[in-house]
Amino acid sequence: MTEAKIEVQARKVPDTIPLLPVRDVVIYPFMILPLFVGREKSVRAVDESLSRDRLILLVAQRDAEKEDPGADEIHSVGTVAMIMRMLKMPDGRVKVLVQGLSRAKVIGVERREPYFEARIAEVPETDLVTSTVEVEALIRSVKELVSKGVALGKQISSDVVVIINNLDHSGRLADLVASHLDLKMEQAQEVLELFDPTQRLKRVSELLSKELEVLEVQHRIQSQAREEMDKTHREYYLREQLKAIQKELGETDDRSQELRELEQKIQKAKMPTAVESEAKTQLGRLSRMHPDAAEASVIRTYLDWLIELPWSRPTKDKLSIKQASKVLNEDHYDLEKVKERILEYLAVRKLKKKMKGPILCFVGPPGVGKTSLGRSIARAMGRKFARISLGGVRDEAEIRGHRRTYIGALPGRIIQGIKQTGSNNPVFMIDEVDKVGTDFRGDPSSALLEVLDPEQNYSFSDHYLGVPFDLSNVMFICTANLADPIISALRDRLEIIDISGYTEEEKLYIAKRYLVPRQYREHGIDEKRLLFTDEAILKMINEYTREAGLRSLEREIATICRKVARLVAEGQKGQTKVTAAALQRFLGAPKFLTDPEQEADEIGVATGLAWTQTGGDIIYIECSILRGKGSLSLTGHLGEVMKESAQAALSYARSRAADLGIKDEFFTKHDIHIHVPAGAIPKDGPSAGITMAVALLSALTKVPVRRDVAMTGEVTLRGKVLPIGGIKEKALAARRMGIHTVVVPARNDKDVKELPANVKRGMEFVFVDHMDQVLDIALTKRTRAKRRFGVALSAKRGTTPSTGLGTGPLRPGSGRASTGHRAYSPKHPHPVVHTQGTS
């Protein structure tokens, strides 16, 4: 111990001593530290101490923020210290170096101005060197804790550590350790006020243990941060090395720029959270791959698809009902049911912002405007339009996409269409859903179930993308020529809207308003160069086309436009007027002429009505009776259903042989041949049943069939007439052939009522439910018919024979009078009874 220290220890502490309040530190005995004194009272206390014996009492303030503390705002225990050095600073402050001597209690404050002077009582330090086992254990424990703290990074100088390890005085060891701990003012003051050295050392041991726990956590955090930092530095170093190597090899840094651009595009695409996470994962894989790796191009293409899809880019719907109606009427004539359905959808969409899109399916023959109607719907709603055709598609991947494991894999055509439109709520038209095939590559129709089901398509998963895409905002529209080939599960999800063919008047109007102006534009001519008369267009409709739609008619118009365009290009001036008489000069001879059998009533020839994929058509069923062995021959490429109808008609005729005046052996000695012309065309369906029966009975009774009557319906062995479909198409076919009387099953009354007024205009629909009624209207020379089977039938059924041409009996529920037939007349909104005159 130096002489200065001996002098300090030997100096006697007076009873009154200048008091210096300290803001933010607690000074312990034998502790040396500098203090900056700036307050006027504190400076005067220092001066007073220097003028006396250089002793001063250092006491901590209770509130460090207090600028001028009172006597009651400082602690009652402090440390007597000696001012070893003093230095005045240029700013007026004083810097002093002090050393603590001993603890002291403040008994009272003798002076408050111009400095504090307090009466104190010195607390002598017990000279406690290791005396008991408990004290020895405490001292060792504190020393070990200090060593651990230094190992964990506690900032204690090596000299102090040496002193601590060599110190055996418990009180002084506690003060020295406490002075090097980062204690709060309250904790430090608590240690100062513990006068018992053993208690003080215990308290310091507790505080030191808590400090070690904090140091351990801090060390663990620093170690983790250091590991992450080392990893980051390592990756940075490796990347910099890679850049240097690429630079030496002549490779540019375009790849890094490309990766940064991809990352920015992913952020701007506003993908759903799951999709964005997948995109970032794939981008990370791409960044770790060599640019020439085979999989790198696959991932790059995949990311391009994810970025370019319109995850959150809808178009705003135009919800004006009047404007939408105007657009639909501008683009299409008639089709009132379809237009009404679209306007209903817009009305609901206007009232309810979030709704499940309807799945409409337009079913009808080719050329009636199904696909073009989809474009009109998109224009009316202000949406983008996408279209795909599934005719002949057999691969399920066309809908769901290919998995990325395949070479040349791409998303399905649904996702491709969405991408092309650039919006997530387009009008999406799927054409030819009835012509989808099935083979070992899957069933595309079944794949469409998820696409078209509003309960599932909100999370449609394409095999290529591997993440869900929301299709619930898309308005899907399907088209088909036939509803029957569509699988039942898919048909159940569709709202079927039938679009039938057009009448002559409708075709004339559509041609003048749409077809002719469009062909003018496509051929670079106008009305000043070419003019079509109404008669010419009607003649084209009747003699050059025979279809439900308008494609053939438009092709004929285009043919005339091409010929006139050539004349104009060759220098012809003026206008070319196309009349009915001049039509043959442009289009050649008519393609459809009246057949000879249509010009007169024939025995064994009946006119039937058939439904085809291209609309309605008429068929002539011929029957001949030949000598033979009782066989039935059927020709004309008939299907199984038509063959069964012929068998049913023959069985019905044989069951009525007695009424017809035909002997039983007649059917065993004669062959019956039923033929349907155009034998190269397959024919099938039940609706030719009554036509075959009429042709057969006409041949058996030698009574001609009226050429101006067409018929359709299924027949049973008892002569019942069953309902069929395709009434509008068949009615249009009859109109095209100039036939205005149509015999239909009575149960098809509701279908006739739904026909447009222009279709029913000039037509007479006769409703029947039994073959007697069919024969009543279809056969001519009724007197002969009465002799053959009319009176016999009436007598057999127990009814009074009619004196007129009506030969059938009155039957309950038949709706037919004995002298007439039940028919539909355009002049009467409901079926009426028309009577016939006597022969």
Side-chain angles (χ1 to χ4, degrees):
M1 186 175 294
T2 62
E3 295 180 1
K5 291 182 179 180
I6 296 174
E7 181 184 357
V8 169
Q9 293 176 359
R11 182 166 299 191
K12 180 176 175 59
V13 179
D15 295 336
T16 60
I17 190 171
L19 186 148
L20 178 64
V22 184
R23 290 178 184 269
D24 53 1
V25 68
V26 174
I27 295 92
Y28 294 101
F30 300 97
M31 180 177 175
I32 300 174
L33 81 163
L35 293 177
F36 287 92
V37 182
R39 290 179 287 191
E40 184 177 356
K41 275 188 177 183
S42 299
V43 173
R44 294 200 175 192
V46 170
D47 292 339
E48 182 64 22
S49 173
L50 292 174
S51 64
R52 295 184 186 180
D53 51 8
R54 305 173 72 88
L55 297 179
I56 192 168
L57 180 65
L58 303 177
V59 184
Q61 295 181 197
R62 297 184 185 275
D63 185 2
E65 301 296 328
K66 195 72 173 178
E67 183 65 27
D68 187 15
D72 56 345
E73 293 175 333
I74 58 178
H75 288 284
S76 60
V77 176
T79 301
V80 177
M82 186 181 71
I83 300 175
M84 302 177 68
R85 292 179 187 176
M86 190 272 288
L87 176 65
K88 291 189 176 183
M89 308 293 289
D91 56 359
R93 293 186 301 167
V94 175
K95 180 180 180 182
V96 294
L97 182 68
V98 297
Q99 179 182 7
L101 298 180
S102 62
R103 288 175 172 78
K105 296 178 65 176
V106 177
I107 298 175
V109 179
E110 297 291 334
R111 179 182 295 179
R112 300 176 185 274
E113 296 293 340
Y115 59 88
F116 283 113
E117 187 169 4
R119 179 176 297 279
I120 65 173
E122 185 180 10
V123 178
E125 183 71 23
T126 304
D127 189 13
L128 183 60
V129 184
T130 303
S131 58
T132 64
V133 175
E134 181 183 5
V135 173
E136 177 67 21
L138 278 173
I139 292 175
R140 289 185 181 183
S141 174
V142 169
K143 290 180 180 180
E144 289 178 2
L145 291 175
V146 170
S147 299
K148 289 182 180 179
V150 173
L152 290 174
K154 182 65 178 176
Q155 299 296 325
I156 301 178
S157 66
S158 58
D159 294 339
V160 175
V161 174
V162 171
I163 293 174
I164 290 174
N165 290 332
N166 294 324
L167 194 60
D168 293 330
H169 194 291
S170 58
R172 293 183 181 178
L173 178 62
D175 291 341
L176 183 58
V177 173
S179 65
H180 286 83
L181 294 178
D182 298 328
L183 301 179
K184 296 180 181 179
M185 287 290 294
E186 293 79 6
Q187 295 174 336
Q189 184 67 28
E190 178 188 359
V191 173
L192 182 66
E193 293 178 1
L194 289 174
F195 300 144
D196 185 357
T198 304
Q199 295 297 324
R200 192 188 315 156
L201 189 60
K202 286 182 179 180
R203 181 59 180 160
V204 170
S205 177
E206 294 173 359
L207 295 174
L208 185 57
S209 298
K210 291 182 179 180
E211 181 74 10
L212 281 179
E213 291 179 3
V214 175
L215 287 174
E216 288 176 354
V217 174
Q218 182 179 355
H219 179 72
R220 185 165 62 252
I221 293 173
Q222 289 177 349
S223 298
Q224 293 175 354
R226 190 179 300 109
E227 289 177 1
E228 292 294 329
M229 189 176 299
D230 291 344
K231 181 180 178 181
T232 303
H233 288 169
R234 179 173 175 272
E235 290 179 356
Y236 174 78
Y237 177 71
L238 292 175
R239 286 196 182 96
E240 291 298 321
Q241 281 187 325
L242 182 61
K243 289 180 182 179
I245 293 172
Q246 290 175 344
K247 187 175 181 181
E248 290 295 328
L249 294 175
E251 297 179 2
T252 60
D253 198 25
D254 294 341
R255 178 171 172 79
S256 300
Q257 179 66 24
E258 180 186 20
L259 293 175
R260 285 193 294 271
E261 290 177 357
L262 283 174
E263 185 175 5
Q264 294 174 359
K265 289 179 180 179
I266 290 173
Q267 294 175 352
K268 293 179 181 178
K270 296 181 179 180
M271 305 174 185
T273 304
V275 180
E276 184 174 355
S277 176
E278 176 66 16
K280 290 182 178 179
T281 300
Q282 296 298 327
L283 181 62
R285 291 184 58 201
L286 181 63
S287 64
R288 294 188 293 272
M289 287 183 182
H290 190 276
D292 295 334
E295 195 176 356
S297 61
V298 175
I299 297 177
R300 181 68 172 83
T301 305
Y302 174 71
L303 289 174
D304 287 339
W305 273 99
L306 290 182
I307 291 169
E308 294 176 13
L309 282 175
W311 298 97
S312 56
R313 295 199 303 270
T315 55
K316 188 176 181 180
D317 287 345
K318 296 179 182 178
L319 301 178
S320 173
I321 308 300
K322 293 183 178 179
Q323 181 63 25
S325 178
K326 180 182 177 182
V327 170
L328 293 174
N329 290 328
E330 285 177 356
D331 292 348
H332 287 273
Y333 176 72
D334 197 25
L335 305 179
E336 296 302 328
K337 283 189 177 180
V338 182
K339 294 176 182 177
E340 183 180 0
R341 180 63 184 85
I342 300 305
L343 296 179
E344 289 172 356
Y345 170 78
L346 290 178
V348 176
R349 184 74 174 79
K350 188 173 184 178
L351 299 178
K352 190 176 187 299
K353 300 300 181 184
K354 184 67 175 178
M355 64 174 291
K356 295 175 181 178
I359 312 299
L360 304 180
C361 182
F362 301 147
V363 177
V368 295
K370 299 187 296 295
T371 302
S372 60
L373 188 61
R375 291 191 176 90
S376 298
I377 293 171
R379 190 164 78 92
M381 297 178 64
R383 291 190 178 189
K384 301 291 184 65
F385 179 74
R387 175 189 170 275
I388 62 172
S389 179
L390 300 183
V393 172
R394 296 176 179 272
D395 192 352
E396 182 185 350
E398 292 287 332
I399 306 299
R400 290 189 178 276
H402 302 81
R403 301 188 185 278
R404 295 198 300 275
T405 53
Y406 299 132
I407 297 175
L410 283 174
R413 297 171 71 177
I414 302 296
I415 295 297
Q416 291 182 34
I418 296 291
K419 175 191 172 186
Q420 290 171 2
T421 60
S423 69
N424 62 4
N425 63 339
V427 173
F428 203 113
M429 175 153 281
I430 305 176
D431 280 332
E432 314 295 350
V433 293
D434 58 331
K435 299 179 179 62
V436 177
T438 303
D439 63 6
F440 65 93
R441 289 168 290 187
D443 184 3
S445 294
S446 300
L448 282 175
L449 297 179
E450 183 183 2
V451 176
L452 300 179
D453 192 344
E455 299 296 333
Q456 302 181 41
N457 61 11
Y458 68 91
S459 60
F460 171 69
S461 180
D462 186 274
H463 287 165
Y464 181 84
L465 297 181
V467 291
F469 189 91
D470 187 2
L471 296 178
S472 60
N473 296 321
V474 180
M475 183 176 183
F476 287 102
I477 299 177
C478 302
T479 68
N481 296 132
L482 298 172
D484 294 338
I486 305 174
I487 62 174
S488 58
L490 179 58
R491 188 166 61 247
D492 181 63
R493 288 163 170 80
L494 303 178
E495 183 178 340
I496 304 294
I497 298 179
D498 291 314
I499 302 178
S500 304
Y502 299 102
T503 63
E504 294 177 4
E505 293 84 355
E506 291 173 338
K507 288 184 178 181
L508 175 62
Y509 183 86
I510 295 172
K512 292 171 61 177
R513 182 173 176 179
Y514 301 103
L515 305 185
V516 172
R518 183 161 63 209
Q519 293 305 318
Y520 281 164
R521 293 191 299 269
E522 292 185 1
H523 292 85
I525 56 179
D526 53 21
E527 292 183 356
K528 297 179 180 179
R529 298 290 187 180
L530 174 61
L531 178 65
F532 289 90
T533 64
D534 291 354
E535 293 77 11
I537 296 176
L538 284 173
K539 188 173 183 180
M540 276 192 286
I541 293 171
N542 292 321
E543 298 185 8
Y544 289 87
T545 64
R546 195 167 285 180
E547 59 176 347
L550 298 160
R551 287 178 181 166
S552 296
L553 178 59
E554 187 168 11
R555 280 194 291 267
E556 301 298 337
I557 295 173
T559 300
I560 297 175
C561 290
R562 287 197 303 271
K563 295 181 181 300
V564 174
R566 176 182 174 183
L567 295 175
V568 173
E570 290 175 350
Q572 176 179 298
K573 304 295 184 181
Q575 184 188 62
T576 301
K577 187 175 183 180
V578 179
T579 63
L583 198 61
Q584 191 167 347
R585 180 164 60 91
F586 291 97
L587 299 179
K591 300 178 181 178
F592 301 96
L593 299 176
T594 303
D595 296 329
E597 62 266 25
Q598 296 175 268
E599 298 176 352
D601 299 336
E602 297 280 346
I603 295 174
V605 179
T607 304
L609 295 174
W611 184 94
T612 67
Q613 294 188 20
T614 58
D617 200 358
I618 64 169
I619 56 174
Y620 296 100
I621 297 181
E622 303 172 348
C623 181
S624 295
I625 307 298
L626 308 171
R627 288 190 178 273
K629 298 180 180 180
S631 63
L632 173 65
S633 299
L634 302 173
T635 56
H637 208 328
L638 306 184
E640 292 298 326
V641 178
M642 288 192 74
K643 291 179 181 179
E644 292 173 0
S645 296
Q647 292 283 356
L650 176 59
S651 297
Y652 169 72
R654 295 186 66 176
S655 68
R656 308 298 297 275
D659 298 334
L660 297 174
I662 302 174
K663 296 180 180 180
D664 292 339
E665 60 269 16
F666 177 85
F667 291 99
T668 59
K669 296 180 179 180
H670 293 80
D671 292 340
I672 299 174
H673 185 183
I674 297 178
H675 175 69
V676 183
I681 302 174
K683 310 169 190 70
D684 202 5
S687 46
I690 65 173
T691 312
M692 288 184 171
V694 168
L696 177 58
L697 290 171
S698 172
L700 292 174
T701 60
K702 305 300 182 183
V703 179
V705 182
R706 291 173 56 185
R707 70 181 186 276
D708 60 343
V709 174
M711 61 201 74
T712 181
E714 184 178 0
V715 68
T716 67
L717 295 177
R718 296 175 295 163
K720 294 283 187 180
V721 179
L722 302 182
I724 40 76
I727 292 296
K728 182 178 180 181
E729 289 83 356
K730 294 174 181 179
L732 292 174
R735 285 180 63 93
R736 286 197 299 270
M737 296 304 297
I739 299 174
H740 299 285
T741 302
V742 180
V743 178
V744 296
R747 289 168 63 182
N748 285 116
D749 185 11
K750 57 181 178 58
D751 300 311
V752 175
K753 289 180 180 178
E754 293 180 357
L755 294 178
N758 58 345
V759 175
K760 295 185 287 190
R761 189 181 303 117
M763 298 290 291
E764 183 182 22
F765 294 89
V766 182
F767 298 100
V768 297
D769 53 14
H770 197 273
M771 275 303 302
D772 293 349
Q773 298 167 293
V774 180
L775 298 172
D776 203 23
I777 185 64
L779 299 182
T780 63
K781 299 183 180 180
R782 308 310 295 276
T783 305
R784 184 177 180 184
K786 181 178 67 175
R787 288 199 308 269
R788 289 283 183 119
F789 56 89
V791 176
L793 290 178
S794 300
K796 185 173 182 179
R797 289 179 177 249
T799 58
T800 304
S802 172
T803 57
L805 288 179
T807 60
L810 279 172
R811 293 183 293 106
S814 66
R816 181 181 61 81
S818 61
T819 59
H821 57 271
R822 184 164 170 258
Y824 186 95
S825 172
K827 296 181 181 179
H828 302 277
H830 302 288
V832 296
V833 175
H834 291 272
T835 59
Q836 301 286 345
T838 58
S839 57

